Amino acid sequence: MTRTTKITLGAALFAVLASLVVALTATSGGAQAEAQTGAQTAAQPPTRHFVANLKGSTAPFALGYTLADKSSVSSLSSLPAGVQSVFWLGQKCPTPADSSFKAKIDALASNPKVFAYYLSDEPHIGDCPGGPAALRSRADYIRAASGGRQKSFIVLSKVADYKPFAPAGSHVDLVGLDPYPCSIAHPQCDLSKIGEKVTAARAAGVPLTAIVPVYQAFGQERTTSHYYNQPTAAQEHAILTEWKRLVPSPVMDYTYGWGNQGSANPTLVDSLALQNVFATFFATGR
């Protein structure tokens, strides 16, 4: 065997060994990456599901809802295991945290049945320019009193309100967006409304991790001012799927709503088909 042949064979053997090392390293690295991804997924709490206007009903808990609207301390003890509250302290135009507000938070800050506080429903910057600063004082007090365990939550409807009420200015933890795609103007439901509002919110400084999807489960067919249509089961599934595509792992989502109101009738309580859609989606993600 010539020296050249030996060198050639040695080089080939070295190449084979190097390939094996690379393959083993890649496999090990891939396994480590998968393990890390799995650990991160396992560490992330599951999305909490909030429904409003229960009016004393417990039926939604069987569908997978884990957050209920409450507005009195005495009602918290009636919540079953595994269910917490989004406690209503809402104002259309937020005011700064005063002694009355602080006393309420102090009384609830260590209560394990309070997950978040609903501080404002659709405030408009044009109506209350001091709203963001007022919310900041409230959100900061909640954060300090509860050691960061409890959250502050608002819902915004107009794109013009997104930037002033974004977390950077208001210090709120969670921001609900409520594009309702099903109406007499859009009988097939305009899902593009969801993407438009998510895009606008993110551009205005609302982080993806702070966005709370607000699901339309109501219509106005039984009201005197009919504009919104209650989604069909197929339309509701499309709404949930689109939201999941855009905001795949929210801290919480919000279904509006369970019981009838003067401006919302019919609602989720009236449709077993919609209830089945939500129960399946919450259980399987599909």
Side-chain angles (χ1 to χ4, degrees):
M1 183 179 294
T2 65
R3 183 173 179 276
T4 301
T5 303
K6 289 180 180 179
I7 292 173
T8 301
L9 288 174
L13 180 59
F14 178 80
V16 170
L17 291 172
S19 297
L20 287 172
V21 170
V22 170
L24 288 171
T25 301
T27 302
S28 175
Q32 289 176 358
E34 289 179 6
Q36 290 173 354
T37 300
Q40 291 171 353
T41 302
Q44 181 176 345
T47 297
R48 294 168 171 84
H49 307 301
F50 172 46
V51 62
N53 303 323
L54 292 182
K55 299 185 177 181
S57 176
T58 59
F61 306 144
L63 304 178
Y65 287 99
T66 54
L67 292 175
D69 61 329
K70 294 294 180 181
S71 57
S72 68
V73 176
S74 60
S75 66
L76 296 176
S77 60
S78 66
L79 291 173
V83 176
Q84 294 176 289
S85 69
V86 176
F87 200 89
W88 174 258
L89 292 176
Q91 297 173 303
K92 190 67 175 179
C93 187
T95 58
D98 57 13
S99 58
S100 175
F101 175 84
K102 292 177 180 179
K104 291 175 182 176
I105 299 302
D106 290 343
L108 292 167
S110 61
N111 193 316
K113 284 297 184 181
V114 177
F115 172 72
Y117 298 92
Y118 200 149
L119 295 184
S120 190
D121 187 60
E122 300 183 345
H124 302 312
I125 191 64
D127 299 329
C128 46
L135 277 175
R136 184 161 62 247
S137 71
R138 292 185 166 229
D140 286 348
Y141 193 82
I142 290 168
R143 191 171 293 111
S146 70
R149 184 181 62 83
Q150 296 172 333
K151 309 299 181 184
S152 50
F153 170 58
I154 61 172
V155 172
L156 299 176
S157 61
K158 294 183 178 181
V159 171
D161 299 319
Y162 289 0
K163 187 174 181 62
F165 286 103
S170 66
H171 289 191
V172 296
D173 297 301
L174 301 170
V175 178
L177 306 180
D178 60 0
Y180 297 137
C182 305
S183 65
I184 57 175
H186 302 285
Q188 300 307 312
C189 303
D190 184 2
L191 299 185
S192 69
K193 290 178 176 292
I194 300 172
E196 288 169 1
K197 290 211 168 182
V198 169
T199 298
R202 296 189 68 182
V206 181
L208 186 65
T209 53
I211 292 177
V212 173
V214 181
Y215 304 140
Q216 180 183 357
F218 76 100
Q220 295 178 319
E221 289 88 341
R222 301 176 188 167
T223 71
T224 57
S225 56
H226 176 201
Y227 177 73
Y228 291 111
N229 292 334
Q230 186 176 45
T232 66
Q235 290 169 343
E236 194 67 71
H237 184 264
I239 290 171
L240 297 177
T241 300
E242 180 67 359
W243 266 115
K244 184 177 181 181
R245 183 181 74 82
L246 295 167
V247 188
S249 301
V251 173
M252 64 180 253
D253 52 42
Y254 176 14
T255 303
Y256 183 75
W258 180 259
N260 296 162
Q261 292 180 290
S263 60
N265 191 346
T267 53
L268 188 55
V269 70
D270 300 302
S271 176
L272 289 176
L274 291 190
Q275 292 175 34
N276 288 334
V277 169
F278 279 102
T280 299
F281 194 83
F282 292 161
T284 68
R286 297 191 300 273

